[in-house]
Coordinates of all heavy atoms in Angstrom, one line a residue:
M19 N -12.7 20.6 10.4 CA -12.0 19.6 9.6 C -10.7 20.2 9.3 O -10.4 21.3 8.9 CB -12.9 19.5 8.3 CG -12.2 18.3 7.5 SD -13.5 18.1 6.2 CE -12.5 17.2 4.9
I20 N -9.7 19.2 9.3 CA -8.3 19.7 9.0 C -8.1 19.7 7.5 O -8.4 18.7 6.8 CB -7.3 18.7 9.7 CG1 -7.5 18.6 11.2 CG2 -5.9 18.9 9.4 CD1 -6.8 17.5 12.0
E21 N -7.5 20.8 7.1 CA -7.2 20.9 5.7 C -6.0 20.0 5.3 O -4.9 20.2 6.0 CB -7.0 22.4 5.2 CG -6.6 22.7 3.9 CD -6.3 24.0 3.6 OE1 -6.6 24.9 4.4 OE2 -5.7 24.4 2.5
R22 N -6.0 19.4 4.3 CA -4.9 18.5 3.7 C -4.2 19.3 2.7 O -4.7 19.8 1.8 CB -5.3 17.3 3.2 CG -5.8 16.3 4.2 CD -6.1 14.9 3.6 NE -6.6 14.0 4.6 CZ -7.0 12.8 4.4 NH1 -6.9 12.3 3.1 NH2 -7.6 12.1 5.3
K23 N -2.9 19.4 2.8 CA -2.0 20.0 1.8 C -1.5 18.9 0.9 O -1.4 17.7 1.3 CB -0.8 20.7 2.5 CG -1.2 21.8 3.5 CD 0.1 22.3 4.1 CE -0.4 23.5 5.0 NZ 0.6 24.0 5.8
P24 N -1.3 19.3 -0.4 CA -0.8 18.4 -1.3 C 0.6 17.8 -0.9 O 1.4 18.5 -0.3 CB -0.5 19.2 -2.6 CG -1.3 20.4 -2.4 CD -1.4 20.7 -0.9
C25 N 0.7 16.5 -1.0 CA 2.0 15.8 -0.6 C 3.1 16.3 -1.4 O 3.1 16.1 -2.7 CB 1.9 14.3 -0.6 SG 3.4 13.5 -0.1
P26 N 4.2 16.8 -0.9 CA 5.4 17.3 -1.7 C 6.3 16.0 -2.3 O 7.1 16.3 -3.0 CB 6.2 18.1 -0.8 CG 5.9 17.6 0.6 CD 4.5 17.1 0.5
N27 N 5.9 14.8 -1.8 CA 6.7 13.7 -2.2 C 6.1 12.8 -3.1 O 6.6 11.7 -3.4 CB 7.1 12.8 -0.9 CG 7.8 13.7 0.2 OD1 8.7 14.4 -0.2 ND2 7.4 13.6 1.4
V28 N 4.9 13.1 -3.7 CA 4.2 12.2 -4.6 C 5.0 11.7 -5.7 O 5.1 10.5 -6.0 CB 2.9 12.9 -5.1 CG1 2.3 12.0 -6.3 CG2 1.9 13.1 -4.0
Q29 N 5.7 12.5 -6.4 CA 6.5 12.2 -7.6 C 7.6 11.1 -7.3 O 7.8 10.2 -7.9 CB 7.1 13.4 -8.4 CG 6.0 14.2 -9.0 CD 5.0 13.3 -9.8 OE1 5.5 12.5 -10.7 NE2 3.7 13.6 -9.7
V30 N 8.3 11.4 -6.2 CA 9.4 10.5 -5.7 C 8.7 9.2 -5.3 O 9.2 8.1 -5.5 CB 10.2 11.1 -4.5 CG1 11.1 10.2 -3.9 CG2 10.9 12.3 -5.0
N31 N 7.6 9.3 -4.5 CA 7.0 8.1 -4.0 C 6.5 7.2 -5.2 O 6.6 6.0 -5.2 CB 5.8 8.5 -3.2 CG 6.1 9.1 -1.9 OD1 7.3 9.0 -1.5 ND2 5.2 9.8 -1.2
L32 N 6.0 7.9 -6.3 CA 5.5 7.1 -7.4 C 6.7 6.3 -8.0 O 6.4 5.3 -8.6 CB 4.7 8.1 -8.4 CG 3.3 8.5 -8.0 CD1 3.0 9.6 -9.1 CD2 2.4 7.3 -8.0
Q33 N 7.7 6.9 -8.1 CA 8.9 6.3 -8.7 C 9.3 5.1 -8.0 O 10.0 4.1 -8.4 CB 10.1 7.2 -8.8 CG 10.0 8.4 -9.8 CD 11.1 9.3 -9.9 OE1 12.1 9.2 -9.1 NE2 10.9 10.4 -10.7
N34 N 9.0 5.0 -6.6 CA 9.5 3.9 -5.8 C 8.3 2.9 -5.5 O 8.5 2.0 -4.8 CB 10.1 4.4 -4.5 CG 11.3 5.1 -4.7 OD1 12.3 4.6 -5.2 ND2 11.4 6.4 -4.4
C35 N 7.1 3.3 -6.0 CA 6.0 2.5 -5.6 C 6.0 1.2 -6.4 O 6.0 1.2 -7.6 CB 4.7 3.3 -6.0 SG 3.1 2.3 -5.4
T36 N 5.8 0.1 -5.7 CA 5.9 -1.3 -6.4 C 4.4 -1.9 -6.4 O 4.3 -3.0 -6.9 CB 6.7 -2.2 -5.7 OG1 6.2 -2.4 -4.3 CG2 8.2 -1.7 -5.6
C37 N 3.4 -1.1 -6.1 CA 2.0 -1.6 -6.2 C 1.6 -1.7 -7.7 O 1.8 -0.7 -8.5 CB 1.1 -0.6 -5.5 SG -0.6 -1.2 -5.6
S38 N 1.0 -2.8 -8.1 CA 0.6 -3.0 -9.5 C -0.8 -2.6 -9.8 O -1.2 -2.7 -10.9 CB 0.8 -4.5 -9.9 OG -0.1 -5.3 -9.0
Y39 N -1.5 -2.0 -8.7 CA -2.9 -1.5 -8.9 C -2.7 0.0 -9.4 O -2.9 0.9 -8.7 CB -3.7 -1.6 -7.7 CG -5.1 -1.4 -7.9 CD1 -5.9 -2.3 -8.6 CD2 -5.8 -0.3 -7.3 CE1 -7.3 -2.0 -8.8 CE2 -7.1 -0.1 -7.5 CZ -7.9 -1.0 -8.2 OH -9.2 -0.8 -8.3
G40 N -2.6 0.1 -10.7 CA -2.2 1.4 -11.3 C -3.3 2.5 -11.1 O -3.0 3.7 -11.2
S41 N -4.6 2.1 -11.1 CA -5.6 3.1 -11.1 C -5.9 3.6 -9.6 O -6.8 4.4 -9.5 CB -6.8 2.7 -11.8 OG -7.3 1.5 -11.2
C42 N -5.2 3.1 -8.6 CA -5.6 3.5 -7.2 C -5.3 5.0 -7.0 O -4.1 5.5 -7.3 CB -4.8 2.7 -6.2 SG -5.1 3.1 -4.5
E43 N -6.2 5.7 -6.5 CA -6.1 7.1 -6.2 C -5.1 7.4 -5.1 O -4.7 8.6 -4.9 CB -7.5 7.8 -5.9 CG -8.1 7.2 -4.6 CD -9.4 7.8 -4.4 OE1 -10.1 8.3 -5.4 OE2 -9.9 7.6 -3.2
K44 N -4.7 6.4 -4.3 CA -3.8 6.6 -3.2 C -2.3 6.4 -3.6 O -1.4 6.6 -2.8 CB -4.2 5.7 -2.0 CG -5.4 6.1 -1.4 CD -5.8 5.2 -0.3 CE -7.0 4.2 -0.7 NZ -8.1 4.7 -1.3
R45 N -2.1 5.9 -4.8 CA -0.6 5.7 -5.2 C 0.1 6.9 -5.1 O -0.3 8.1 -5.5 CB -0.7 5.2 -6.8 CG -1.0 3.8 -6.9 CD -0.6 3.3 -8.3 NE 0.6 2.7 -8.2 CZ 1.6 2.9 -9.1 NH1 1.5 3.8 -10.1 NH2 2.8 2.3 -9.0
G46 N 1.3 6.8 -4.5 CA 2.2 8.0 -4.3 C 1.9 8.7 -3.0 O 2.6 9.6 -2.7
K47 N 0.7 8.5 -2.4 CA 0.4 9.2 -1.2 C 0.5 8.1 -0.1 O -0.5 7.6 0.4 CB -1.1 9.8 -1.3 CG -1.2 10.7 -2.4 CD -2.6 11.1 -2.6 CE -2.9 11.8 -3.9 NZ -4.3 12.0 -4.1
C48 N 1.8 7.8 0.3 CA 2.0 6.7 1.2 C 1.1 6.8 2.5 O 0.7 5.8 3.1 CB 3.5 6.6 1.5 SG 4.5 6.4 -0.1
C49 N 1.0 8.0 3.0 CA 0.3 8.1 4.3 C -1.1 7.6 4.1 O -1.7 7.0 5.0 CB 0.3 9.5 4.9 SG -0.2 10.8 3.8
E50 N -1.8 8.0 3.0 CA -3.1 7.6 2.8 C -3.2 6.1 2.5 O -4.1 5.4 2.9 CB -3.7 8.3 1.5 CG -3.9 9.8 1.9 CD -4.6 10.5 0.7 OE1 -5.3 9.8 -0.1 OE2 -4.4 11.7 0.5
C51 N -2.2 5.6 1.7 CA -2.1 4.1 1.4 C -2.1 3.3 2.7 O -2.9 2.3 2.9 CB -0.9 4.0 0.6 SG -0.6 2.2 0.2
I52 N -1.1 3.7 3.7 CA -1.0 3.0 4.9 C -2.2 3.1 5.7 O -2.7 2.1 6.3 CB 0.2 3.6 5.7 CG1 1.5 3.2 4.9 CG2 0.2 3.0 7.1 CD1 2.7 3.9 5.5
R53 N -2.9 4.2 5.9 CA -4.1 4.4 6.6 C -5.2 3.5 6.2 O -5.8 2.9 6.9 CB -4.6 5.9 6.6 CG -5.7 6.2 7.5 CD -6.1 7.6 7.4 NE -5.1 8.6 7.6 CZ -4.7 9.4 6.7 NH1 -5.2 9.5 5.6 NH2 -3.6 10.3 7.1
Y54 N -5.4 3.5 4.8 CA -6.5 2.7 4.2 C -6.2 1.2 4.6 O -7.2 0.6 5.0 CB -6.5 3.0 2.7 CG -7.3 2.0 2.0 CD1 -8.7 2.2 1.9 CD2 -6.8 0.9 1.3 CE1 -9.6 1.3 1.2 CE2 -7.7 -0.1 0.7 CZ -9.0 0.2 0.7 OH -9.9 -0.7 0.0
H55 N -5.1 0.7 4.3 CA -4.9 -0.7 4.5 C -4.8 -1.0 6.0 O -5.3 -2.1 6.4 CB -3.6 -1.1 3.8 CG -3.8 -1.3 2.4 ND1 -4.6 -2.1 1.8 CD2 -3.3 -0.5 1.3 CE1 -4.6 -2.0 0.5 NE2 -3.7 -1.1 0.2
R56 N -4.3 -0.2 6.8 CA -4.3 -0.4 8.2 C -5.8 -0.5 8.8 O -6.0 -1.4 9.5 CB -3.6 0.7 9.0 CG -3.4 0.4 10.5 CD -2.7 1.6 11.2 NE -3.6 2.8 11.1 CZ -3.2 4.1 11.3 NH1 -1.9 4.3 11.6 NH2 -4.2 5.1 11.2
E57 N -6.7 0.4 8.3 CA -8.0 0.3 8.7 C -8.8 -0.9 8.3 O -9.8 -1.3 8.9 CB -8.8 1.6 8.2 CG -8.3 2.9 8.9 CD -9.0 4.1 8.4 OE1 -9.6 4.1 7.3 OE2 -8.7 5.2 8.9
N58 N -8.1 -1.7 7.3 CA -8.8 -2.8 6.8 C -8.1 -4.0 7.3 O -8.2 -5.1 6.7 CB -8.8 -2.8 5.2 CG -9.9 -1.8 4.8 OD1 -11.1 -2.1 4.8 ND2 -9.6 -0.6 4.3
G59 N -7.1 -3.9 8.2 CA -6.4 -5.0 8.8 C -5.3 -5.5 7.7 O -5.0 -6.7 7.7
E60 N -4.8 -4.6 7.0 CA -3.9 -5.0 5.9 C -2.6 -4.2 5.9 O -2.5 -3.3 6.8 CB -4.6 -4.7 4.5 CG -5.9 -5.5 4.3 CD -6.6 -5.2 3.1 OE1 -6.3 -4.1 2.5 OE2 -7.5 -6.0 2.6
L61 N -1.7 -4.5 5.0 CA -0.5 -3.8 4.9 C -0.5 -3.3 3.4 O -1.0 -3.8 2.5 CB 0.7 -4.7 5.1 CG 0.7 -5.2 6.5 CD1 1.8 -6.4 6.6 CD2 1.1 -4.1 7.6
P62 N 0.3 -2.2 3.1 CA 0.5 -1.7 1.9 C 1.2 -2.7 0.9 O 2.0 -3.5 1.4 CB 1.3 -0.4 1.9 CG 1.9 -0.4 3.4 CD 1.0 -1.3 4.2
G63 N 0.9 -2.6 -0.3 CA 1.3 -3.5 -1.4 C 2.9 -3.6 -1.4 O 3.5 -4.6 -1.7
C64 N 3.6 -2.5 -1.2 CA 5.1 -2.4 -1.2 C 5.7 -3.3 -0.2 O 6.9 -3.5 -0.3 CB 5.6 -0.9 -1.2 SG 5.1 -0.1 0.3
L65 N 5.0 -3.9 0.8 CA 5.6 -4.6 1.8 C 5.6 -6.1 1.4 O 6.2 -6.9 2.1 CB 5.0 -4.4 3.1 CG 5.1 -3.1 3.8 CD1 4.5 -3.1 5.1 CD2 6.5 -2.6 3.8
F66 N 5.0 -6.4 0.2 CA 4.9 -7.7 -0.2 C 5.9 -7.9 -1.4 O 6.0 -7.0 -2.3 CB 3.5 -8.1 -0.8 CG 2.5 -8.1 0.5 CD1 1.9 -6.8 0.8 CD2 2.2 -9.2 1.2 CE1 0.9 -6.9 1.9 CE2 1.3 -9.2 2.2 CZ 0.6 -8.0 2.5
P67 N 6.4 -9.2 -1.6 CA 7.2 -9.5 -2.8 C 6.2 -9.4 -4.1 O 5.1 -9.6 -3.9 CB 7.7 -10.9 -2.5 CG 6.7 -11.5 -1.6 CD 6.2 -10.4 -0.7
P68 N 6.8 -9.3 -5.3 CA 5.9 -9.1 -6.5 C 4.9 -10.2 -6.6 O 3.8 -9.9 -7.0 CB 6.9 -9.0 -7.6 CG 8.2 -8.5 -6.9 CD 8.2 -9.1 -5.5
E69 N 5.3 -11.4 -6.5 CA 4.4 -12.6 -6.7 C 3.2 -12.5 -5.7 O 2.1 -13.0 -6.2 CB 5.2 -13.9 -6.7 CG 5.7 -14.2 -5.2 CD 7.1 -13.8 -5.0 OE1 7.5 -12.8 -5.6 OE2 7.8 -14.5 -4.2
V70 N 3.3 -12.0 -4.6 CA 2.2 -11.9 -3.6 C 1.5 -10.6 -3.8 O 0.2 -10.5 -3.9 CB 2.7 -12.0 -2.2 CG1 1.5 -11.9 -1.2 CG2 3.5 -13.2 -1.9
E71 N 2.2 -9.5 -4.1 CA 1.6 -8.3 -4.4 C 0.5 -8.3 -5.5 O -0.5 -7.7 -5.4 CB 2.6 -7.1 -4.7 CG 2.1 -5.8 -4.8 CD 1.4 -5.4 -6.0 OE1 1.7 -5.9 -7.1 OE2 0.4 -4.7 -5.9
K72 N 0.9 -9.0 -6.6 CA 0.0 -9.0 -7.8 C -1.3 -9.7 -7.4 O -2.3 -9.7 -8.3 CB 0.7 -9.6 -8.9 CG 1.0 -11.1 -8.9 CD 1.8 -11.4 -10.1 CE 2.2 -12.9 -10.1 NZ 3.2 -13.3 -11.2
T73 N -1.4 -10.5 -6.3 CA -2.7 -11.2 -6.0 C -3.7 -10.2 -5.3 O -4.8 -10.5 -5.1 CB -2.4 -12.4 -5.0 OG1 -2.0 -11.9 -3.7 CG2 -1.3 -13.3 -5.6
Y74 N -3.1 -9.1 -4.8 CA -3.9 -8.1 -4.1 C -4.3 -8.5 -2.8 O -5.2 -7.9 -2.1 CB -5.1 -7.6 -5.0 CG -4.7 -6.9 -6.3 CD1 -5.5 -7.0 -7.4 CD2 -3.6 -6.0 -6.4 CE1 -5.2 -6.4 -8.5 CE2 -3.3 -5.5 -7.5 CZ -4.1 -5.6 -8.7 OH -3.7 -5.0 -9.8
D75 N -3.8 -9.7 -2.3 CA -4.0 -10.1 -1.0 C -3.1 -9.4 -0.1 O -1.9 -9.8 0.0 CB -4.0 -11.7 -0.9 CG -4.1 -12.2 0.6 OD1 -4.4 -11.3 1.4 OD2 -4.3 -13.4 0.8
R76 N -3.6 -8.4 0.6 CA -2.8 -7.5 1.4 C -2.9 -7.8 2.9 O -2.6 -7.0 3.8 CB -3.0 -6.0 1.2 CG -3.0 -5.7 -0.4 CD -2.1 -4.6 -0.7 NE -2.2 -4.0 -2.1 CZ -1.6 -4.6 -3.2 NH1 -1.0 -5.7 -2.9 NH2 -1.7 -4.1 -4.4
T77 N -3.5 -8.9 3.3 CA -3.7 -9.2 4.6 C -2.5 -9.5 5.4 O -1.4 -9.9 4.9 CB -4.6 -10.5 4.9 OG1 -4.0 -11.5 4.1 CG2 -6.0 -10.1 4.1
I78 N -2.5 -9.1 6.7 CA -1.4 -9.4 7.6 C -1.1 -10.9 7.7 O 0.0 -11.3 7.7 CB -1.7 -8.8 9.0 CG1 -1.8 -7.3 8.9 CG2 -0.6 -9.2 10.1 CD1 -2.3 -6.6 10.2
K79 N -2.3 -11.8 7.6 CA -2.0 -13.1 7.6 C -1.1 -13.6 6.4 O -0.3 -14.4 6.6 CB -3.3 -13.9 7.5 CG -3.2 -15.3 7.5 CD -4.6 -16.0 7.4 CE -4.5 -17.6 7.5 NZ -3.4 -18.2 6.6
R80 N -1.4 -13.0 5.2 CA -0.6 -13.4 4.1 C 0.8 -13.0 4.2 O 1.7 -13.7 3.7 CB -1.2 -12.7 2.8 CG -0.6 -13.2 1.5 CD -0.9 -14.6 1.2 NE -0.3 -15.1 0.0 CZ 0.9 -15.6 0.0 NH1 1.6 -15.9 1.1 NH2 1.5 -16.0 -1.2
F81 N 1.0 -11.8 4.8 CA 2.4 -11.3 5.1 C 3.2 -12.3 5.9 O 4.3 -12.7 5.6 CB 2.4 -9.9 5.6 CG 3.6 -9.3 6.0 CD1 4.3 -8.5 4.9 CD2 4.2 -9.4 7.2 CE1 5.5 -8.0 5.3 CE2 5.4 -8.8 7.5 CZ 6.1 -8.1 6.5
I82 N 2.5 -12.6 7.0 CA 3.1 -13.6 8.0 C 3.4 -15.0 7.4 O 4.4 -15.5 7.6 CB 2.2 -13.7 9.2 CG1 2.3 -12.3 10.0 CG2 2.8 -14.9 10.1 CD1 1.3 -12.3 11.2
D83 N 2.4 -15.4 6.7 CA 2.5 -16.7 5.9 C 3.7 -16.7 5.0 O 4.5 -17.6 5.0 CB 1.3 -17.1 5.2 CG 0.0 -17.5 6.1 OD1 0.3 -17.7 7.2 OD2 -1.1 -17.5 5.5
F84 N 3.9 -15.6 4.2 CA 5.0 -15.5 3.3 C 6.3 -15.7 4.0 O 7.2 -16.3 3.6 CB 4.9 -14.3 2.4 CG 6.1 -14.1 1.6 CD1 6.2 -14.8 0.4 CD2 7.1 -13.3 1.9 CE1 7.3 -14.8 -0.5 CE2 8.3 -13.2 1.1 CZ 8.4 -14.0 0.0
H85 N 6.4 -14.8 5.1 CA 7.6 -14.7 5.9 C 7.8 -16.0 6.8 O 8.9 -16.0 7.5 CB 7.7 -13.5 6.6 CG 7.9 -12.3 5.7 ND1 9.2 -12.1 5.1 CD2 7.1 -11.3 5.2 CE1 9.0 -11.1 4.2 NE2 7.8 -10.5 4.3
S86 N 6.8 -16.8 6.9 CA 7.0 -18.1 7.7 C 7.5 -19.3 6.9 O 7.8 -20.3 7.4 CB 5.7 -18.4 8.4 OG 5.2 -17.3 9.2
Q87 N 7.6 -19.1 5.6 CA 7.9 -20.1 4.7 C 9.3 -20.6 4.9 O 10.2 -19.9 5.1 CB 7.8 -19.7 3.1 CG 6.3 -19.4 2.8 CD 6.3 -19.0 1.4 OE1 7.3 -18.7 0.7 NE2 5.0 -18.6 0.9
Ligands
SF4_205 S1 -1.1 -0.6 -1.9 FE1 -3.4 -0.3 -1.8 S2 -3.7 1.9 -1.4 FE2 -1.5 1.5 -1.8 S3 -1.4 2.2 -4.0 FE3 -1.7 0.0 -4.0 S4 -3.9 -0.4 -4.0 FE4 -3.6 1.7 -3.6

């Protein structure tokens, strides 16, 4: 098993994170966030505008629908 080192960018990432799900353990750990959502056919919350992000619908379909308006 590969040992994971603490991310040196967590504090900077948290300052720039636009996700409104405050209790998520992946906040500030962008690589874990992307991996989690990718494995679920989704995108990270920061790729959505605030009005979509707050719905927690992170599907690729929702992303495309928004950008197709
Ligand atoms: S986008 Fe998803 S994984 Fe990333 S911080 Fe928000 S809820 Fe957590």
Side-chain angles (χ1 to χ4, degrees):
M19 186 168 161
I20 299 171
E21 180 185 346
R22 289 190 184 174
K23 295 179 182 171
C25 175
N27 300 315
V28 170
Q29 292 308 315
V30 173
N31 291 344
L32 285 173
Q33 289 177 4
N34 294 295
C35 181
T36 58
C37 179
S38 61
Y39 190 67
S41 62
C42 178
E43 64 185 17
K44 290 177 261 307
R45 282 194 93 229
K47 303 171 190 169
C48 301
C49 54
E50 292 185 24
C51 176
I52 291 169
R53 185 182 308 117
Y54 171 79
H55 285 294
R56 185 184 63 196
E57 288 173 355
N58 288 286
E60 300 174 343
L61 296 166
C64 59
L65 294 185
F66 294 88
E69 66 270 26
V70 179
E71 188 284 324
K72 67 184 179 185
T73 69
Y74 298 146
D75 183 349
R76 312 230 189 283
T77 59
I78 294 171
K79 179 182 184 311
R80 186 69 183 91
F81 181 86
I82 292 171
D83 287 348
F84 176 80
H85 288 286
S86 300
Q87 294 175 359

